[in-house]
Amino acid sequence: ADSISVIERNSFTCWGDSVKFGLEIFNYPPVAIVAGDNSVCAGEAGQVYSVPNNAGSTYNWSVPIGTSITSFPVTTNQITVTFGSISGNISVVETNSAGCVTNHTPLNVTVNPLPSPTITPSKALICLGEAVTFTAAPAGAANYTFYVDGVEAQDGASRTYITDSLTNGQGVTVEVTLASGCFATSTASYVIVSDPPVVTMVSSDADNRICTGTSVTFTASSATATNFEFRVNNIAQQSGASKTYVTNTLVNGDIVSVIGTTAFGCSAPGNDITVQVDPLPVANFTGTATICIGATTNLAVNVTTGTAPYQIQVNQGVGTISPYNSGAAIPVAPVVTTTYTLLSITDANGCTSCDGVNANIS
């Protein structure tokens, strides 16, 4: 504060006292640089910019096109903004209570673009438990974070993610981060995960115990499988749409299995059936002899293969003998020369041979 005065002197050298005028002088607000982050991401919100606060001053802010001031009032020394996509200066003009105006040094802000991430699966349809590879774009980003249904699954520099644990309906996304630090998340990528079929198999022989050469039918069933591959001891025997497999060549201990495959190509094994194959009985029919009329002689069936006791059938009126033990005498007394034939022998396992072995009695 000071005063301005003047002394006036006329041409006659007369002078008069000065009239003093009081004067108050105000300083301009000191120039400052706008403070804040000078590198941001497109669409970034919550960034704060400021200059020193001077009591009584008002502030007129300017921001780049597309950037909005989100704090109120906007005439304070500090603002909060949300960026668009255009770089530019953030500047402010301060006016103090005396009307003195200061243009503060603006801050040039670079608005970095966001990535436009995409994610592509290697297959559109997989079977449950099958591996699938997801590839993110763009390439060359600083970091890729993969999520499955929002849960982080992998983070790092690799832009590929391999998983075999997806279930149907799960979505995979990727967050791509550029060298600028700007990031964005892709839309979710989905693959169809098809369940494997449920396959069961039954045998036409209820106890899975048969005799050598017996024909057995194996029948598979499944609600979703369209192809059935039948195997014996893990060696494929038949493959196709047929649900049945018929064989008479099984040997003891053979394991019959089936693999069902859906129209989507998903496969699963059914149950195994182990078959017990009992041998057919083998026997010698003895008793060939020469006798007198009215005399008696013995026939006998000597079993070399089979499980006792047995049932045998002999012609010429002998008929069926059950139970029969190997080698037991079968008395006969033909009145004329007669040929006896062992028509069949069945062992305790139910296996039957029809060998037609003869014994001649004269």
Side-chain angles (χ1 to χ4, degrees):
D2 210 333
S3 61
I4 297 177
S5 61
V6 62
I7 298 175
E8 180 180 355
R9 211 178 273 279
N10 65 14
S11 59
F12 302 103
T13 68
C14 299
W15 56 276
D17 290 338
S18 64
V19 178
K20 294 183 178 179
F21 176 76
L23 179 66
E24 185 175 2
I25 299 176
F26 293 89
N27 292 321
Y28 287 101
V31 176
I33 299 174
V34 174
D37 196 345
N38 67 350
S39 179
V40 298
C41 300
E44 188 170 343
Q47 286 291 332
V48 176
Y49 295 89
S50 64
V51 290
N53 184 42
N54 294 306
S57 289
T58 58
Y59 302 83
N60 183 21
W61 290 90
S62 296
V63 295
I65 297 172
T67 300
S68 59
I69 300 175
T70 57
S71 59
F72 297 96
V74 297
T75 56
T76 61
N77 72 306
Q78 177 177 293
I79 58 171
T80 302
V81 302
T82 296
F83 284 96
S85 59
I86 300 175
S87 301
N89 288 334
I90 292 182
S91 59
V92 61
V93 176
E94 180 182 352
T95 302
N96 66 12
S97 57
C100 303
V101 176
T102 296
N103 288 293
H104 291 290
T105 302
L107 178 68
N108 184 264
V109 179
T110 299
V111 179
N112 299 290
L114 299 179
S116 298
T118 60
I119 186 169
T120 305
S122 58
K123 299 177 182 178
L125 185 150
I126 61 172
C127 301
L128 187 67
E130 184 179 355
V132 59
T133 300
F134 291 89
T135 302
N143 196 81
Y144 302 86
T145 306
F146 291 88
Y147 298 87
V148 177
D149 281 352
V151 178
E152 184 178 317
Q154 177 180 298
D155 180 70
S158 174
R159 70 185 187 107
T160 59
Y161 167 60
I162 302 173
T163 178
D164 60 2
S165 60
L166 287 183
T167 58
N168 198 42
Q170 286 190 307
V172 180
T173 56
V174 63
E175 180 185 270
V176 177
T177 303
L178 302 178
S180 63
C182 297
F183 61 90
T185 301
S186 71
T187 57
S189 177
Y190 297 88
V191 297
I192 298 173
V193 182
S194 180
D195 290 330
V198 177
V199 185
T200 59
M201 182 177 62
V202 295
S203 166
S204 59
D205 189 87
D207 63 359
N208 299 315
R209 184 172 183 175
I210 63 173
C211 300
T212 299
T214 300
S215 179
V216 185
T217 300
F218 295 90
T219 303
S221 62
S222 174
T224 57
T226 58
N227 187 88
F228 301 88
E229 181 181 271
F230 292 91
R231 298 183 170 194
V232 176
N233 300 327
N234 211 32
I235 299 174
Q237 305 294 317
Q238 175 184 300
S239 181
S242 176
K243 295 183 179 181
T244 60
Y245 166 60
V246 182
T247 180
N248 62 358
T249 61
L250 296 176
V251 298
N252 192 42
D254 275 350
I255 300 173
V256 181
S257 59
V258 65
I259 296 175
T261 303
T262 67
F264 293 123
C266 300
S267 300
N271 55 296
D272 295 344
I273 295 177
T274 301
V275 182
Q276 179 176 330
V277 182
D278 295 318
L280 298 179
V282 178
N284 297 317
F285 191 32
T286 62
T288 298
T290 300
I291 62 173
C292 297
I293 294 175
T296 300
T297 188
N298 291 323
L299 305 175
V301 178
N302 299 298
V303 184
T304 58
T305 301
T307 302
Y310 307 96
Q311 175 182 289
I312 63 172
Q313 285 185 321
V314 180
N315 68 349
Q316 303 296 356
V318 176
T320 300
I321 302 175
S322 180
Y324 177 79
N325 292 316
S326 178
I330 306 170
V332 293
V335 296
V336 296
T337 299
T338 303
T339 299
Y340 292 89
T341 302
L342 176 61
L343 300 176
S344 68
I345 176 171
T346 301
D347 70 1
N349 295 327
C351 297
T352 300
S353 291
C354 302
D355 291 335
V357 180
N358 297 330
N360 298 309
I361 306 296
S362 300

